Amino acid sequence: MSAFRRSAAVATAVVATFALHMPTTSAQAPALDPALVTRATAADAYAKTRPGTTGIVVFDRQTGAIWQNGNANRLVWAESTEKLEMVASLLLRNESGAITLSASDRDLMHRMLNVSDDDAADALWKRYGGASFARDLGRFGMTASKFRDAQPYWGWMRTTAADLDRLMNAALAQLNPADRAYLVREMRSVGAVQQWGVWGAGPAAQPGNKDGWSPDNPDGSWLDNSVGFVGPNERFTVAITGDTATVKNGDQVGRETATHVASILFQGYFR
C-alpha cells in the first residue's frame, strides 16, 4: 500500500472493507440477497453459452456479501479499465497533498473516464510516472494484477474480475466525499462508446462504469471488460471480464455478453 498520509480511522475502515471483500467459504460470511444470487446464477449460465470466457463479480457494499463465478480470478488483459485505477490514484495523491492536480490534469482525467481517451492516459502516465501507478495496485486490493514489462505501461497489464471489483470498491471507500461524488458522476455519464457492460443494468439501476476493449493483445485476443457500480448510493460494485480470443466478431460478441450479464443481474431488481 502506498504511503499517502491517511488518518488511523480511515486506514482502519479501508482494512475492514478489504477484509469483507475477500472471497470466503466461511459459514459466517454475509450472504448476498437470495434473489440476486438467483440472478447471478442465471447470468453465469447465460455466459457459459456464449463464445469465450466471462468472469463475473458482484459485491454488496452495504453488507459485505460477495458472489463470483468460476472465472472471477482468471487473468485477462485489463485494457482501459486500468484508467480507473489511474484516476483513483491521482485523486488520492491530490487529497494527501503529494501532488496538486491542474486544470489540464482534470481535463485529461475526464477524457479518460468519459470516452476512454488513450492519448489522455498516455499524457498522465508520463506526467506522473507509470511506476507510481503500478505501486498503487496494492492500495486498491489488486493483488493478482501485474504489468507485462519491467517498465510498466498502462495498456499492458493483466488483471481479474475480482481485482477490478476490489478496485471499484476501494475507490468508493477511500476517496473523500467530493472526489467520490466526482468519480460517480463521471462514471454515470460516460460517452456512447462506453455505454455497454455494467451499463446494461438499465437506468433504474443508476449504473456507472469504466470499460476496456482492444483487439491488439499479444495473443491476438479480443477483450471486453467492464467495471462499475449500480444501485442507490452505489450499493453494489460489479466487474465483468470477457476474453473472446479467436471468436469471429469478438468485440461485438464480448460487448453483447457483458451487457446482457448486467441486464440479467439488475434489470428490474431496483424498483
Side-chain angles (χ1 to χ4, degrees):
M1 183 173 289
S2 56
F4 293 112
R5 297 187 295 274
R6 307 291 285 181
S7 69
V10 171
T12 299
V14 169
V15 170
T17 297
F18 283 135
L20 283 172
H21 201 179
M22 296 304 292
T24 177
T25 58
S26 169
Q28 305 303 315
L32 202 65
D33 172 20
L36 193 50
V37 171
T38 298
R39 286 169 170 266
T41 303
D44 188 36
Y46 159 76
K48 288 176 180 176
T49 70
R50 299 286 288 172
T53 305
T54 305
I56 309 170
V57 179
V58 179
F59 179 67
D60 186 338
R61 298 180 58 247
Q62 182 171 306
T63 68
I66 187 170
W67 182 95
Q68 57 184 24
N69 77 347
N71 295 315
N73 292 294
R74 184 177 186 273
L75 283 166
V76 299
W77 292 104
E79 304 305 345
S80 291
T81 55
E82 166 57 8
K83 293 169 185 170
L84 175 60
E85 191 258 348
M86 291 174 63
V87 170
S89 175
L90 289 172
L91 289 172
L92 286 169
R93 294 186 216 183
N94 186 69
E95 288 178 17
S96 74
I99 64 172
T100 300
L101 292 172
S102 67
S104 170
D105 294 331
R106 291 185 179 276
D107 176 64
L108 292 170
M109 289 160 58
H110 165 73
R111 286 159 51 191
M112 282 202 302
L113 291 173
N114 189 255
V115 295
S116 203
D117 189 303
D118 289 350
D119 291 338
D122 284 344
L124 286 171
W125 190 265
K126 293 173 183 176
R127 187 173 298 175
Y128 287 101
S132 67
F133 295 110
R135 288 193 297 269
D136 275 352
L137 293 176
R139 179 186 186 96
F140 301 113
M142 302 181 76
T143 54
S145 299
K146 52 190 176 184
F147 287 91
R148 184 188 67 175
D149 303 318
Q151 294 296 321
Y153 172 63
W154 69 264
W156 297 119
M157 186 184 83
R158 287 190 179 273
T159 192
T160 67
D163 267 17
L164 289 177
D165 193 66
R166 283 190 286 269
L167 164 63
M168 187 72 261
N169 186 68
L172 293 173
Q174 294 185 42
L175 291 170
N176 70 31
D179 284 338
R180 183 180 182 280
Y182 158 79
L183 185 64
V184 167
R185 183 170 61 251
E186 287 280 356
M187 294 180 71
R188 280 197 172 129
S189 58
V190 293
V193 70
Q194 294 194 102
Q195 292 179 7
W196 54 273
V198 175
W199 200 264
Q206 305 173 58
N209 61 258
K210 178 71 195 78
D211 294 336
W213 64 98
S214 178
D216 61 352
N217 298 293
D219 56 7
S221 62
W222 261 107
L223 272 293
D224 291 280
N225 306 320
S226 186
V227 58
F229 50 79
V230 299
N233 300 312
E234 302 73 60
R235 168 73 181 268
F236 298 96
T237 53
V238 186
I240 306 166
T241 57
D243 185 345
T244 50
T246 72
V247 174
K248 184 178 180 180
N249 299 321
D251 182 35
Q252 178 182 346
V253 169
R255 293 187 188 200
E256 288 174 351
T257 299
T259 303
H260 196 56
V261 163
S263 175
I264 295 171
L265 283 168
F266 293 108
Q267 284 274 0
Y269 182 76
F270 298 99
R271 299 186 185 280

